[in-house]
Amino acid sequence: MNAPPATPAARPREARRGPGRFLRWDTAVGALLVAAFLVGTGTTDGFSDTANLSAALNDTAEIALIALPMTLLVVAGQVDLSVASMLGLSSALAGSLWDAGWTFETLVPVCLLVGLLGGLLNGWLVTRVGLPSLAVTIGTLTLYRGLASVVLGNKAVADFPESYARWAGNTETVPGTFVPYPIALFALLAVLAAVVLHCTGFGRALFAVGAQEDAAWFAGIRVKRIKLILFAVSGFVASFAGIVYTLRYGSARADNGLGLELAVVAAVLLGGIDFDGGRGTLGGAVAGVLLIGVLNNLLTLNDVSHEIQVIVTGVLLIVSVLTPRVIAASTARRHRRLAVGETP
């Protein structure tokens, strides 16, 4: 007797066993990263030099660091748009305290504490007051940037300790490599974040909260506590990125990192993290960060203005949000056709 035809419900499962499982969005972003690197090597003089690669990596340091907690937040269905303003507030506070005679080792914990408290404020407004994270962090984006202006005004403070400045720049790299120390730190934190997200119960809880928050709550997951922790970590890391940014450029200013949240969100979404939450991989987010870094470096080497680079980032953000939804809608239509016996 011939086997019965596969049911429509079974066909998607069969497709996942085939080559389609290798066509995930994060895999495609990784392939684009390799392609961009090869194109840059073949078309732009000096692109593949170790000095340029070191500089290109270091230019993404703050974006890369902030993208790690942002990935966890977006997986849980949240977003923090105040990260660049917290970076600026941390930078301004560091400059103000340094100008007042504080030692660098003393002012860094204060800046990190402010970042932690700012993240907790975001989390409290979301979890206790019940406001949406998008609205909350748009508000604190303005609040933290305003506080940065109050703390430092329009001054620029420089002359930070040379030893720390060399660590944050690309003049000193990990021995035997062209990798700057901030990127090496990012790599270690990325491994830790990947383990947390994909190999622990906490990570599974993040996916559950992002996919269906009410169901996660009924399943016993401490939804509010998880969100509060994520926002606190986001603020803490953003403040640390502010210290790195200040040392790398050798200047503390209230407008440091202005607009950087666009690049962070673009990198995370470009890496395949679903803005609605519940889907994505940490590896995809890392690939998104590196792809934006490579593209910006290529544009810079080819004398493309910063304004055009911002436009490219905006286009990538739109594409990263729109394309997965178009693919999902197309797949859903195909499955509906299969369900009623139509030819796809």
Side-chain angles (χ1 to χ4, degrees):
M1 176 181 285
N2 293 331
T7 63
R11 284 172 182 161
R13 188 178 298 111
E14 293 170 356
R16 287 195 295 269
R17 295 187 187 127
R21 60 180 175 169
F22 298 107
L23 301 179
R24 300 189 315 181
W25 180 258
D26 51 354
T27 305
V29 174
L32 284 174
L33 173 61
V34 173
F37 182 84
L38 294 176
V39 169
T41 301
T43 62
T44 305
D45 292 337
F47 172 76
S48 59
D49 294 347
T50 55
N52 178 66
L53 293 178
S54 179
L57 285 172
N58 216 34
D59 283 343
T60 65
E62 296 82 20
I63 295 173
L65 289 169
I66 298 173
L68 295 178
M70 185 70 78
T71 297
L72 303 184
L73 271 168
V74 177
V75 165
Q78 307 299 307
V79 69
D80 185 357
L81 297 182
S82 70
V83 287
S85 295
M86 178 54 70
L87 181 154
L89 176 57
S90 176
S91 178
L93 183 58
S96 178
L97 295 177
W98 177 254
D99 196 42
W102 287 45
T103 64
F104 194 79
E105 294 78 10
T106 305
L107 67 85
V108 168
V110 174
C111 294
L112 297 179
L113 177 60
V114 169
L116 179 65
L117 293 175
L120 287 172
L121 174 61
N122 287 336
W124 181 79
L125 290 172
V126 170
T127 60
R128 301 302 175 185
V129 182
L131 300 175
S133 61
L134 184 64
V136 166
T137 56
I138 286 176
T140 53
L141 177 154
T142 306
L143 171 63
Y144 298 155
R145 187 65 68 179
L147 288 174
S149 298
V150 170
V151 167
L152 195 60
N154 57 2
K155 294 193 303 182
V157 178
D159 299 324
F160 291 98
E162 183 63 25
S163 57
Y164 292 109
R166 288 198 306 269
W167 175 87
N170 63 332
T171 55
E172 287 189 3
T173 59
V174 177
T177 74
F178 60 85
V179 179
Y181 282 104
I183 295 299
L185 175 62
F186 160 72
L188 292 175
L189 293 177
V191 172
L192 176 62
V195 170
V196 170
L197 183 61
H198 300 294
C199 303
T200 67
F202 184 82
R204 289 189 290 273
L206 296 186
F207 283 105
V209 171
Q212 181 53 260
E213 183 175 321
D214 291 338
W217 186 83
F218 281 113
I221 295 175
R222 306 292 294 271
V223 174
K224 291 183 178 180
R225 177 179 294 181
I226 286 175
K227 290 181 182 180
L228 189 64
I229 291 172
L230 293 179
F231 279 107
V233 172
S234 180
F236 182 87
V237 174
S239 65
F240 176 74
I243 300 297
V244 175
Y245 191 102
T246 302
L247 292 173
R248 190 161 68 87
Y249 285 100
S251 177
R253 294 173 54 93
D255 61 352
N256 276 353
L258 189 65
L260 197 71
E261 67 278 346
L262 172 64
V264 174
V265 174
V268 170
L269 298 185
L270 183 62
I273 309 299
D274 194 327
F275 193 70
D276 293 329
R279 285 181 292 181
T281 66
L282 200 285
V286 171
V289 168
L290 296 178
L291 179 57
I292 287 182
V294 166
L295 292 177
N296 285 339
N297 183 254
L298 276 173
L299 293 174
T300 300
L301 291 177
N302 286 281
D303 296 324
V304 176
S305 67
H306 176 71
E307 290 74 13
I308 299 299
Q309 294 182 36
V310 173
I311 292 173
V312 170
T313 301
V315 170
L316 289 175
L317 180 57
I318 293 173
V319 169
S320 61
V321 172
L322 184 61
T323 303
R325 281 159 174 73
V326 171
I327 294 173
S330 177
T331 302
R333 284 196 300 270
R334 179 175 178 271
H335 290 166
R336 284 196 297 270
R337 289 175 181 175
L338 290 172
V340 296
E342 296 181 7
T343 301

